[in-house]
Amino acid sequence: MWLFARKKAGNIAKKKKGLSSLEFVISILIFMLLFAAFIDIVVIGVKFGASTQAVQHVTRIVGVQGGMLSSAPTGYPGGATSYNTGSQVDNQVTNMLSKAGIKEGDYSIKVGGSPITSGVAYDYMDDIDVTMRVNYKWEMLSMMLPGEFDFYLTNNRSTVSEFRYRYDSW
């Protein structure tokens, strides 16, 4: 079979019959691959932008609150109405990312190495690292090429805690 195809391709090249059709088909295939890659890169950009906004949102809240607990700490300015719990922020992030097409199981957020809902507290001027990892599949390109193209995007942000838990003991 392979020899037959090679022989036939050699005959086409010698006679120059149908060569422009072959070039046209190959050009269309290359164009389709490039177009699929371009679409995937645009989708990656949208997802990266959404994940960047989500990480910045979490980092800002964690820095101002001095972490993320399941309830407001004593002495927090504004009390429980001003405090964002880990589950509230997780719901906010889920809503932000769902608008960009990122499903709930496709990402993870860690505050200081712990999950966002685990309840972490940082005292005044402690360093806090927030990391988000978003799984991504090259959907268009993987339809045209064999194999799975699964990758992940990572966003890292750092901040310092602005809240003093024991305000009376400076």
Side-chain angles (χ1 to χ4, degrees):
M1 177 73 172
W2 175 251
L3 291 174
F4 174 75
R6 188 172 174 193
K7 192 177 198 182
K8 191 73 168 164
N11 288 342
I12 290 173
K14 285 180 186 173
K15 295 179 184 176
K16 305 254 186 212
K17 288 185 179 179
L19 194 58
S20 61
S21 299
L22 184 64
E23 289 174 352
F24 179 74
V25 168
I26 291 172
S27 299
I28 292 295
L29 288 174
I30 291 172
F31 174 76
M32 287 174 52
L33 283 173
L34 290 175
F35 184 72
F38 175 74
I39 295 296
D40 278 337
I41 288 172
V42 168
V43 171
I44 287 173
V46 168
K47 290 184 178 187
F48 189 74
S51 67
T52 299
Q53 286 180 346
V55 165
Q56 288 173 344
H57 178 70
V58 172
T59 304
R60 190 170 37 253
I61 290 172
V62 168
V64 169
Q65 294 183 172
M68 201 165 301
L69 301 173
S70 58
S71 63
T74 56
Y76 188 78
T81 57
S82 302
Y83 193 82
N84 290 307
T85 64
S87 59
Q88 289 173 333
V89 174
D90 192 35
N91 289 337
Q92 293 168 0
V93 168
T94 300
N95 289 336
M96 291 172 77
L97 296 178
S98 67
K99 292 176 184 172
I102 302 172
K103 299 176 188 131
E104 194 165 345
D106 289 345
Y107 68 91
S108 65
I109 303 175
K110 296 195 184 272
V111 177
S114 302
I116 192 171
T117 56
S118 66
V120 290
Y122 296 91
D123 211 356
Y124 183 69
M125 295 302 291
D126 285 346
D127 292 328
I128 306 169
D129 294 321
V130 179
T131 303
M132 174 183 266
R133 181 177 170 152
V134 178
N135 296 330
Y136 177 73
K137 179 181 178 185
W138 290 73
E139 295 177 23
M140 295 291 288
L141 205 57
S142 65
M143 288 182 201
M144 297 182 177
L145 297 175
E148 293 286 324
F149 298 106
D150 292 335
F151 297 98
Y152 62 90
L153 306 169
T154 303
N155 271 317
N156 299 314
R157 296 291 183 271
S158 296
T159 187
V160 293
S161 175
E162 299 176 18
F163 181 68
R164 178 86 174 174
Y165 280 91
R166 295 169 304 282
Y167 193 73
D168 54 342
S169 63
W170 282 87

